[in-house]
Amino acid sequence: MNRLTRSSCLALGLLSGSLAFGAACVEQTEEKPTAEDMEAIKKNLLSAAPAPKFTVNADLDGKVVYLGLDTTANPIEPGKEFKLTHYWKVVAAPGPGWRLFTHLNGPNNQQYLNVDHGPINGKYPVSQWKQGDIIRDEHSMRLPATWPHDKVVVHVGLWRGQERMNIVTGNKDASGRLVAATIPVTVKAPPPGAVAKRYVARKITKPNKLDGKLDEVAWKEAPSSGLFVNTM
């Protein structure tokens, strides 16, 4: 298979927030399908639109309709592999340079995972999509075992260079990503002792004398923190 490697520059929105487009690069490949690849592609070209669990039917620039997705895990268990299956309908050939992106976020963009991939295991790049295609695109992933949220938001779309294909209809966020689904996550309670202990540092009205004697009232009234432990 002939491959032309390019970089996809995508944002990394971590914990707090908003995605700044162009902040990090993810390698993808533009591939010209071989005869062997076409056999795999045919297995994932559907004759009729499916009825996915998460139905979306979003219009991207009048060229592509994102029909929705299915998941093999609902709810998802952190640390365990699951699959997402996306369904795309091609109204008009998207043209050269376009690629898929898939992002996973916690609520309010509190966490971010980039799970970009080439369609149909990299065998059918977006630049090769043809009018009338109904494409089933399955890929595997997992949430970190430490995922703290009770849900994960799946964002999808098409990108090229520094632009994302315009979403004409469908629920989208401020950075032009299509909100494909919100899937519940099973979050296990932390084991006993895993929750960090707290200590209240009390404010004093005047500074203590730093003489090593600890005989002032503020020192005497400060509660003990207990034994030191290895915080790692």
Side-chain angles (χ1 to χ4, degrees), residues 16-38:
S16 61
S18 60
L19 294 173
F21 194 58
C25 292
V26 175
E27 288 290 328
Q28 290 192 15
T29 56
E30 186 171 346
E31 304 168 345
K32 185 177 181 180
T34 65
E36 183 180 353
D37 294 333
M38 287 306 300

Side-chain angles (χ1 to χ4, degrees), residues 11 13 17-21 58 101-112 153-157 164-167 169-180:
S18 60
L19 294 173
F21 194 58
F101 69 81
T102 308
H103 300 163
L104 305 180
N105 283 92
N108 301 315
N109 291 328
Q110 294 179 72
Q111 200 145 348
Y112 170 87
V153 183
V154 182
H155 296 93
V156 301
R164 288 175 175 163
M165 186 174 284
N166 181 47
I167 299 170
T169 62
N171 184 17
K172 61 181 178 180
D173 68 4
S175 60
R177 302 180 304 169
L178 178 65
V179 180

